[in-house]
Amino acid sequence: MDVNAAVAAAAAIAGVLTGVIAMLAFRWSEREQKRPTRTSLHTDPVLPPGVDTVLSVLRSSAVVLDEADAVVKASSAAYALGLVRGGKLAVEPMLQMARDTRRDGEIRQVELDLPRRGTGRGEALAVSARVAPLGSRLVLLLVEDLTEARRIEAVRRDFVANVSHELKTPVGALSLLSEAVMDASHDPEAVERFAGRMQIEATRLTSLVQELIDLSRVQNDDPLEDAEPVRVDELVAEAVDRCRHQAGTKEITMAAGGTADLHVWGNRGQLAAALGNLVENAVNYSPARTRVGIAARKVNAPGGEQIEIAVTDQGIGISDKDKERIFERFYRVDPARSRATGGTGLGLAIVKHVAASHGGEVTVWSAEGQGSTFTLRLPEAGAARDRAHQQPAREIRAGGAGLDEEAGRSTPTSPESTAYETLPAPEVLP
């Protein structure tokens, strides 16, 4: 009995000890689970609930920093701008703002110019940075890219300045001429001379206002909303008829030729204005007794068949440095000659926008003293119509330049590659 009692007592003591050890192990495990680890201090659990979701839908670049300035969370846009590198905020002014905000809890905002990554041209990104406290230990940095907005603002500012200058010139001339007419009221010949000049300046002012209206229309309207198949032959005939008087005055021969019965898809009025501007420029900048040719053909392109309309002249030509800028608004190769011909500097800008909004482009080949060839490329009617039905018109318009790219760069095109040089003999129009 004594042996059995001893065994039973030993077993009871062992059971109690096992229970105590198990309880202590369980409580130690719970305590270890509740204790923050080094990893948990720098990962998602430290973010307040819902912050991760909110940051993922923000358009701004977002960076969350902890008390050690380590990046807890950063959006893909922040990496793309070069704000975060190696898990650290790489922009020192922003880092200093974050430290100041962490110290006093105040929200700070500043605009900075950052070097653009991947370019050696010294271009800068304009950004707006805003820093705010996020909880007790974190700091939130939001960065907005202002580069495009600033560029558009500069374009708008330059446009207003150019318009003001261009309007001021004829208006001032009309004012001076009217005073001259009043002073010369006793001299019929002087009155007639001044009245003629007033008529020229008034015509110039009217042309400038009309081209400003046309430019605004092609930039703001969607030409494919009322699109229709347009015969290229009719566009060419209308452009030739528009410039017939100027060509006749200078004894310039106008020739039209190329492939017949071609069609493009778009707004007839805008297409006619674009081609008319190209032909009018060719006539205005060509010497007397020379030739201007207009021809069209169909060519194969990666995106489908296109229609090329080439306008070739034997004028003064364009230098390489000017070819980079001729599609800018108000830019003139020869300002003095433009005043003599009544040019406003908006014609080629209108051509560029019309071509872009129709899913095409305009290019130029030119050599000083050898003339120029402007080539308007537009999608063929069938291909353009099918594409318009497959995607929104806004996506089609994105294929070219809008308000925002002022310096339309031209692609050199040799005269041998233009429709005019390779097509059959054109029909000579009186």
Side-chain angles (χ1 to χ4, degrees):
M1 289 295 293
D2 294 339
V3 174
N4 291 336
V7 171
I13 293 172
V16 171
L17 291 175
T18 301
V20 172
I21 293 173
M23 187 186 317
L24 292 175
F26 177 77
R27 291 189 177 183
W28 178 82
S29 176
E30 281 188 330
R31 190 163 53 248
E32 285 297 315
Q33 289 181 359
K34 292 180 180 180
R35 180 182 301 173
T37 63
R38 179 177 301 179
T39 303
S40 67
L41 289 174
H42 303 289
T43 53
D44 290 347
V46 301
L47 290 175
V51 171
D52 194 5
T53 303
V54 173
L55 295 182
S56 65
V57 298
L58 286 178
R59 297 181 60 183
S60 305
S61 302
V63 180
V64 178
L65 302 176
D66 63 9
E67 66 274 13
D69 292 334
V71 175
V72 176
K73 184 75 176 179
S75 64
S76 58
Y79 286 98
L81 287 178
L83 303 180
V84 178
R85 298 174 190 172
K88 295 290 185 179
L89 186 62
V91 183
E92 184 61 32
M94 296 182 186
L95 186 58
Q96 186 58 48
M97 288 174 57
R99 292 168 178 169
D100 294 341
T101 297
R102 187 184 300 111
R103 184 181 63 253
D104 55 26
E106 293 185 5
I107 298 176
R108 289 174 168 82
Q109 184 168 351
V110 67
E111 293 188 2
L112 301 170
D113 291 332
L114 306 180
R116 190 187 295 268
R117 297 183 63 186
T119 63
R121 295 176 292 176
E123 297 179 350
L125 288 172
V127 299
S128 174
R130 184 179 179 87
V131 180
L134 185 64
S136 59
R137 295 180 299 168
L138 304 180
V139 174
L140 173 63
L141 170 66
L142 296 178
V143 180
E144 190 77 22
D145 188 355
L146 304 178
T147 308
E148 186 68 11
R150 284 194 180 178
R151 190 178 67 81
I152 293 176
E153 180 60 30
V155 169
R156 184 179 293 110
R157 185 170 56 251
D158 293 342
F159 180 74
V160 172
N162 287 330
V163 169
S164 301
H165 174 74
E166 295 295 332
L167 291 175
K168 182 179 179 180
T169 301
V171 169
L174 287 172
S175 178
L176 293 175
L177 288 169
S178 64
E179 294 179 4
V181 169
M182 294 178 62
D183 294 339
S185 57
H186 60 282
D187 186 350
E189 293 183 2
V191 169
E192 184 177 356
R193 184 172 67 255
F194 292 141
R197 287 297 308 168
M198 290 178 67
Q199 189 174 19
I200 293 174
E201 294 297 334
T203 301
R204 180 183 175 189
L205 182 60
T206 302
S207 299
L208 175 59
V209 172
Q210 183 60 50
E211 290 201 346
L212 285 172
I213 295 172
D214 293 341
L215 180 61
S216 176
R217 182 178 295 115
V218 301
Q219 289 175 341
N220 297 325
D221 293 350
D222 182 1
L224 301 183
E225 287 184 356
D226 301 319
E228 59 179 341
V230 181
R231 284 179 58 92
V232 175
D233 295 342
E234 295 178 358
L235 294 178
V236 173
E238 186 173 337
V240 169
D241 187 65
R242 168 179 167 178
C243 304
R244 192 183 302 275
H245 176 71
Q246 297 98 305
T249 302
K250 300 173 67 175
E251 300 182 21
I252 292 176
T253 301
M254 301 185 68
T259 305
D261 199 29
L262 298 177
H263 293 76
V264 293
W265 180 261
N267 184 292
R268 178 185 176 84
Q270 292 190 15
L271 293 173
L275 185 57
N277 285 344
L278 290 180
V279 176
E280 186 175 12
N281 275 0
V283 172
N284 287 337
Y285 287 91
S286 293
R289 293 179 292 280
T290 55
R291 175 188 178 97
V292 172
I294 312 102
R297 67 173 179 177
K298 183 186 295 187
V299 297
N300 292 323
E305 293 184 331
Q306 289 189 333
I307 303 300
E308 283 189 353
I309 308 174
V311 179
T312 303
D313 63 58
Q314 299 173 331
I316 59 176
I318 306 170
S319 66
D320 291 338
K321 66 179 182 67
D322 288 323
K323 279 191 290 188
E324 297 292 332
R325 302 190 59 190
I326 56 174
F327 292 103
E328 294 181 22
R329 293 170 291 185
F330 296 110
Y331 184 78
R332 298 184 178 93
V333 175
D334 185 352
R337 187 179 180 89
S338 296
R339 285 193 294 269
T341 59
T344 62
L346 291 174
L348 291 179
I350 292 175
V351 175
K352 182 188 72 173
H353 286 293
V354 169
S357 63
H358 283 76
E361 63 175 348
V362 58
T363 59
V364 59
W365 174 91
S366 185
E368 292 185 271
Q370 300 182 31
S372 306
T373 297
F374 285 84
T375 303
L376 183 63
R377 294 186 179 91
L378 299 166
E380 192 268 342
R385 180 172 48 204
D386 295 342
R387 185 164 29 186
H389 291 161
Q390 293 172 3
Q391 61 181 330
R394 182 174 302 175
E395 294 180 6
I396 296 176
R397 295 180 66 184
L403 266 175
D404 343 308
E405 46 312 83
E406 286 304 288
R409 296 187 177 272
S410 56
T411 303
T413 306
S414 64
E416 289 77 9
S417 68
T418 63
Y420 180 69
E421 294 294 332
T422 60
L423 291 173
E427 171 192 358
V428 177
L429 302 177

